[in-house]
Amino acid sequence: MLRKLLFATALVSVLGSGAASAETINMWVRSGIGDSFKEVVKAYNTAQQDKVELTEVPFSELVQKYATAIAGGQAPDALSLDLIYTPAFAAAGQLEDMTDWAKSLTYFGSLSPSHVKLGTYEERVYGLPLLVETSIFAWNKGLYKQAGLDPEKAPTTWQEITANAEKIRALGDNTYGFYFSGGGCGGCAIFTFTPLVWGAGADILSEDGKTATLDTPQMRKAIDIYRNLIAKDTVPAGAASDNGVNFLSITNGKIGQQSLGAFAIGTLVTKHPEIDFGVALIPGVDGKPSSFAGGDNFVVTKGTPKLSAVKKFIEYTYSMEGQKIMAKYGSLPTRGDIADEVLKGLDPRLDVAKDAIAVAKTPYTLQFNDLINSANGPWATFINAAIFGNDVDGAFESAQSEMQSIIDAAQ
Amino acid sequence: MTMPAIASSPARKRRRRSSGWQGLAYIAPAIALVTVFFVLPVIFTLWMSLHRWPLLGAPRWIGLGNYLRMFDDARFLAALGFTTHYTVVVTIAIFAIAFPLAFFVEKQRPLVSTYRTVIFLPVVVGLASASLLWVWLANVDSGLLSPLLQMLGLTERRLNLLATFDTAFLTVIVMVVWKIAGFTMIILLTGLQAIPTELTEAARIDGARPWQRFRHLTLPLMRRTLALALILSITGSILAFDQFYIMTSGGPQNRMISVVYYIFNQSFVSFNLGYGAALSIALLVILVLISVIQLWLLKVGDDRP
């Protein structure tokens, strides 16, 4: 009897490991991160026995959906999580601790530092870099030429950008000089607008993330710059209510200048070859450039039975082949040691985005969703009220106090 | 109720008892559904509301903490204020449109069923789809309304309807009236048609003018219909969510956060499920109170046999 039982167990485990050799990993990815990840999955699925099944979730709902899926026991094996959320999910104890395996990778030391920093919670590694992008400033060379500007000369100050915007606006009815999503898209604004302040040495949160430091002379200056761009009629009226849906407005060919991300470079190059554009770093209010280091971390749901398959897939994305595919579609190399080789032969504009990593920042806070990303959070409200509203002082005052009260309530 | 002597005979008693069981068996499915889908969730919500209940992590008992927090939660009070404002405006707007429409389609006239259908059509569109449709209509660049206003010379340049509170609020109100008025019209129509024509004729012979007939005859006889239409409209407005979520994402500078929107944000953006549950219970109490007050004001139920 015992022997029979042992035999049955052995059989089951053999069958089990047999099944493990061709597993399907369920993975979620947020919308709007471009095609790089989808392409690398496609390549993996054709080349390997294991399959990755991708589910695209709207970026604004990914956190809610993932959290509810965990609560309901329906969570995917892994997901591509906006890196700023990694601390919060790690703190909640929902992610698989990957410290030992991660540190055994020979190239662990050269993985994108800001991703690893955000992926680390209390000395343990829960998230590894998957997609890396930085925010950069882009201009439409065609429109520059039409407006009599030098299409090869990148503007380096906001005075220059404003002057150029006016000249482009003068071209006619539907051509505008500048664009940004200003209607309750906190994520867009933190990505493209805070570099103005960061470059000048200010920040919206203190170093430890426990004090809101919104009201600084630098931020006042940055708000004035955007208000001035609107006052001079260089921004389409739709910007005031764009909640991020039209973030890539530059693709319509009627926008002269816009701050966007490296993923957008990939999208523009592969999907809109008709638009000739240049990229540069986003100038700060006093001219010193900065950038937001964003992108996604690879996180694994705690207790997934497909851990080894997931690890195999992660290693594939870190291989030269995987890195090259992702870079082609706009995700910067996650591995510093082979970055130059990966980008060789690809669009030279990606180099600008890669160089931005050196001056880029990422806020570290457990309340990112509440403070920044929520369409109804203080940051998104502040951007709309301060840039489009009539009461700038009031906008500063209420956002500053609301941010502080959210931080305090979470302590 | 007087009991006939014969009812106490054993045979009749047995039959009565068995018909009681039968009755229970008939309503059992309904009871089961209500229990599973309403009573139990409400009890569970009540239980959750007494905890600090994060979406991830372990719940912790905090008694009435969530309920006390409500009273000095400025954002919740603002949401209550906005919801009240919205409910009053939209209910008045719906009745102002639906009443004349009901009179219009009540009389037999050529094409009347066509009119009824056309007016009722928006009702069958889901609220979310209708909101999406109007987001497009109100879009400043590719929509219909802004270019139209500009073409008619009403605005100097294209106006972004969803960018300021007043115009965005107006757009939402117009959308909801367009969507809901047909339904209210149908309810009012059934009330109108239930009024015997002899009464109207008698009033007319007695020399009552149209306004007098409406005030002293039509309105009193439509009390129950009005009560139904009002309760549906007010309850629906207090529970409004889709239109604000989809059309304005909470409105310019968060000024269009309704109570349900706030509950949603607390529960699924900030992940305070416990507080969200407490807010839901508070909203339930408010709704029940409002409905009771309305029924009492309209004296529905007094005239039951």
Side-chain angles (χ1 to χ4, degrees):
Chain A
M1 179 68 206
L2 192 67
R3 201 147 26 124
K4 226 181 209 173
L5 205 69
L6 273 177
F7 177 71
T9 323
L11 190 70
V12 166
S13 62
V14 165
L15 283 176
S17 63
S21 67
E23 276 187 298
T24 302
I25 310 165
N26 279 310
M27 200 169 162
W28 285 6
V29 61
R30 64 184 165 121
S31 64
I33 54 163
D35 300 319
S36 49
F37 190 57
K38 279 179 236 166
E39 294 296 330
V40 82
V41 164
K42 219 188 271 171
Y44 187 73
N45 283 348
T46 42
Q48 308 279 330
Q49 251 189 330
D50 287 0
K51 299 284 173 255
V52 175
E53 202 175 283
L54 215 55
T55 308
E56 200 170 347
V57 181
F59 72 95
S60 55
E61 289 160 26
L62 183 93
V63 176
Q64 288 96 303
K65 287 221 154 74
Y66 183 57
T68 32
I70 292 176
Q74 304 284 319
D77 300 307
L79 83 163
S80 161
L81 184 68
D82 194 336
L83 81 161
I84 48 181
Y85 294 129
T86 344
F89 277 91
Q94 301 302 326
L95 303 179
E96 187 76 37
D97 183 345
M98 298 192 283
T99 317
D100 300 330
W101 173 71
K103 291 203 168 145
S104 74
L105 298 171
T106 50
Y107 42 81
F108 178 71
S110 55
L111 290 174
S112 163
S114 59
H115 283 64
V116 177
K117 180 185 157 208
L118 281 253
T120 307
Y121 177 74
E122 293 183 342
E123 318 273 305
R124 307 298 290 172
V125 179
Y126 296 92
L128 288 170
L130 173 60
L131 303 168
V132 180
E133 81 161 341
T134 47
S135 48
I136 38 101
F137 175 85
W139 71 93
N140 184 321
K141 289 188 180 172
L143 291 178
Y144 260 50
K145 232 177 278 170
Q146 279 183 44
L149 298 159
D150 178 1
E152 301 308 324
K153 188 180 168 295
T156 53
T157 63
W158 281 94
Q159 285 77 358
E160 229 177 299
I161 293 172
T162 311
N164 294 356
E166 281 179 90
K167 284 194 187 130
I168 294 164
R169 179 69 181 115
L171 288 176
D173 266 355
N174 293 320
T175 310
Y176 288 89
F178 191 70
Y179 191 80
F180 65 98
S181 304
C185 184
C188 311
I190 195 83
F191 191 60
T192 61
F193 182 68
T194 33
L196 272 75
V197 204
W198 286 342
D203 203 343
I204 58 169
L205 295 171
S206 63
E207 190 68 34
D208 59 2
K210 295 209 166 127
T211 319
T213 54
L214 192 65
D215 195 352
T216 54
Q218 289 93 328
M219 182 58 88
R220 296 247 171 199
K221 234 165 129 184
I223 291 287
D224 277 345
I225 288 169
Y226 268 46
R227 284 186 75 91
N228 186 36
L229 280 165
I230 289 162
K232 297 213 160 122
D233 192 30
T234 62
V235 182
S241 55
D242 177 12
N243 57 10
V245 176
N246 297 325
F247 181 70
L248 284 185
S249 274
I250 196 166
T251 54
N252 69 16
K254 301 270 185 197
I255 302 291
Q257 310 168 95
Q258 193 191 338
S259 295
L260 32 79
F263 295 165
I265 299 182
T267 309
L268 277 166
V269 171
T270 52
K271 295 241 174 87
H272 299 273
E274 76 280 4
I275 294 177
D276 185 15
F277 67 102
V279 295
L281 297 177
I282 301 175
V285 289
D286 57 3
K288 239 180 105 207
S290 184
S291 175
F292 182 104
D296 283 33
N297 260 340
F298 217 127
V299 298
V300 180
T301 307
K302 194 172 193 162
T304 173
K306 296 172 187 163
L307 191 58
S308 59
V310 172
K311 284 176 181 167
K312 235 171 86 190
F313 176 61
I314 298 181
E315 280 177 26
Y316 174 76
T317 65
Y318 288 156
S319 70
M320 179 63 88
E321 191 190 342
Q323 293 276 296
K324 269 217 179 271
I325 296 171
M326 292 209 283
K328 187 177 164 208
Y329 290 91
S331 175
L332 302 169
T334 39
R335 278 178 62 182
D337 55 340
I338 53 168
D340 290 333
E341 213 184 322
V342 167
L343 289 181
K344 208 183 282 168
L346 291 176
D347 197 285
R349 284 169 288 206
L350 285 170
D351 283 328
V352 176
K354 189 201 75 184
D355 295 342
I357 294 177
V359 289
K361 289 183 77 158
T362 317
Y364 188 104
T365 164
L366 299 187
Q367 283 81 45
F368 202 93
N369 207 26
D370 266 354
L371 288 174
I372 312 286
N373 258 20
S374 160
N376 309 114
W379 169 252
T381 310
F382 165 74
I383 288 296
N384 188 270
I387 295 177
F388 295 97
N390 297 320
D391 182 11
V392 180
D393 290 327
F396 268 101
E397 210 173 295
S398 64
Q400 168 77 31
S401 71
E402 203 184 321
M403 281 174 96
Q404 192 59 52
S405 79
I406 289 176
I407 297 170
D408 292 342
Q411 296 305 319
Chain B
M1 192 173 161
T2 50
M3 200 70 77
I6 199 167
S8 57
S9 80
R12 181 63 65 95
K13 223 181 210 164
R14 202 174 307 126
R15 196 182 306 157
R16 254 186 26 155
R17 198 177 301 139
S18 78
S19 81
W21 283 113
Q22 256 177 26
L24 206 62
Y26 279 127
I27 59 167
I31 289 185
L33 284 177
V34 170
T35 311
V36 171
F37 292 108
F38 181 74
V39 178
L40 291 182
V42 168
I43 293 173
F44 188 62
T45 309
L46 205 59
W47 173 247
M48 281 176 83
S49 73
L50 301 173
H51 292 77
R52 190 188 171 96
W53 196 302
L55 192 54
L56 304 168
R60 185 161 55 84
W61 174 269
I62 52 164
L64 292 175
N66 282 328
Y67 290 94
L68 297 176
R69 176 178 163 189
M70 235 175 261
F71 288 99
D72 45 36
D73 182 349
R75 286 187 290 168
F76 174 58
L77 299 178
L80 266 184
F82 171 71
T83 310
T84 315
H85 176 64
Y86 167 76
T87 304
V88 170
V89 173
V90 85
T91 305
I92 292 175
I94 288 176
F95 275 81
I97 301 290
F99 237 121
L101 283 179
F103 277 109
F104 174 70
V105 297
E106 191 223 350
K107 302 215 173 60
Q108 276 309 322
R109 60 176 95 224
L111 292 179
V112 72
S113 52
T114 315
Y115 290 135
R116 282 180 194 167
T117 314
V118 167
I119 298 168
F120 191 73
L121 260 183
V123 178
V124 299
V125 181
L127 190 54
S129 337
S131 302
L132 276 175
L133 175 70
W134 278 73
V135 166
W136 168 72
L137 285 177
N139 186 295
V140 60
D141 296 314
S142 56
L144 175 74
L145 302 176
S146 301
L148 193 70
L149 288 176
Q150 190 190 22
M151 242 169 58
L152 294 175
L154 292 173
T155 53
E156 205 173 296
R157 36 173 303 162
R158 284 204 188 167
L159 186 68
N160 188 344
L161 287 169
L162 299 177
T164 60
F165 177 79
D166 292 331
T167 49
F169 190 64
L170 186 70
T171 313
V172 172
I173 296 285
V174 171
M175 187 282 283
V176 172
V177 169
W178 167 81
K179 164 93 181 66
I180 304 288
F183 182 63
T184 311
M185 174 196 83
I186 292 289
I187 298 180
L188 295 176
L189 182 63
T190 58
L192 278 178
Q193 286 176 336
I195 299 174
T197 38
E198 302 89 67
L199 280 181
T200 330
E201 262 163 41
R204 197 179 288 141
I205 289 165
D206 287 345
R209 280 188 295 274
W211 170 249
Q212 285 176 319
R213 290 206 300 275
F214 176 72
R215 171 70 190 78
H216 296 288
L217 191 86
T218 315
L219 270 188
L221 285 172
M222 283 183 68
R223 211 170 60 209
R224 284 172 162 217
T225 320
L226 274 177
L228 175 68
L230 255 183
I231 288 181
L232 283 179
S233 168
I234 289 182
T235 317
S237 312
I238 290 178
L239 295 177
F241 169 70
D242 315 37
Q243 55 268 53
F244 304 118
Y245 185 68
I246 295 172
M247 287 180 69
T248 62
S249 325
Q253 293 137 41
N254 277 348
R255 289 174 62 195
M256 286 198 202
I257 305 278
S258 67
V259 176
V260 178
Y261 200 147
Y262 187 61
I263 295 175
F264 169 81
N265 271 352
Q266 278 300 328
S267 303
F268 300 109
V269 177
S270 309
F271 304 138
N272 300 321
L273 289 186
Y275 189 46
L279 291 170
S280 307
I281 295 289
L283 184 59
L284 182 70
V285 170
I286 292 173
L287 273 177
V288 168
L289 280 181
I290 287 178
S291 300
V292 167
I293 291 172
Q294 278 188 83
L295 288 174
W296 176 70
L297 279 179
L298 290 158
K299 297 194 179 68
V300 172
D302 286 4
D303 45 5
R304 283 217 185 103

